[in-house]
Amino acid sequence: EWAWIGEALADDFRVVAADRPGLGWSRGGSLPRDAAAAADALTAALEKAGIDPPYVVIGHSFGGLTARVFADLRGGDRRDAECVRTMEL
């Protein structure tokens, strides 16, 4: 359960929690459902919500891999992607 982390950070930072397509509260997305597609979906969701960079993306397991790919695709520094017990590339 990650909700407490967002709640702890919310006083000092804008916190957005996103579900990958087809998981949690989100609708199913298109295939493939790999890390690049998840990073693209995250980019689209942030843009649609009008949330401008900079971003610090935190992910666990596959979410950590997605965070790394998100940072790489955006030309960012991997220091912008915090990974907790993540899958490796």
Side-chain angles (χ1 to χ4, degrees):
E1 183 61 46
W2 291 86
W4 69 272
I5 295 173
E7 292 167 2
L9 294 172
D11 287 340
D12 299 310
F13 302 95
R14 182 174 190 175
V15 176
V16 177
D19 291 321
R20 290 189 324 246
L23 298 174
W25 295 97
S26 73
R27 296 180 185 178
S30 60
L31 296 175
R33 291 195 178 137
D34 58 16
D40 288 342
L42 178 58
T43 298
L46 291 167
E47 289 174 357
K48 184 175 181 178
I51 301 171
D52 296 323
Y55 307 116
V56 175
V57 180
I58 300 172
H60 170 262
S61 189
F62 186 80
L65 178 58
T66 299
R68 286 182 173 189
V69 172
F70 177 85
D72 288 346
L73 291 175
R74 297 191 55 78
D77 190 318
R78 283 199 174 175
R79 289 177 295 178
D80 297 335
E82 294 298 326
C83 307
V84 181
R85 298 180 105 189
T86 189
M87 299 173 72
E88 293 297 321
L89 294 171

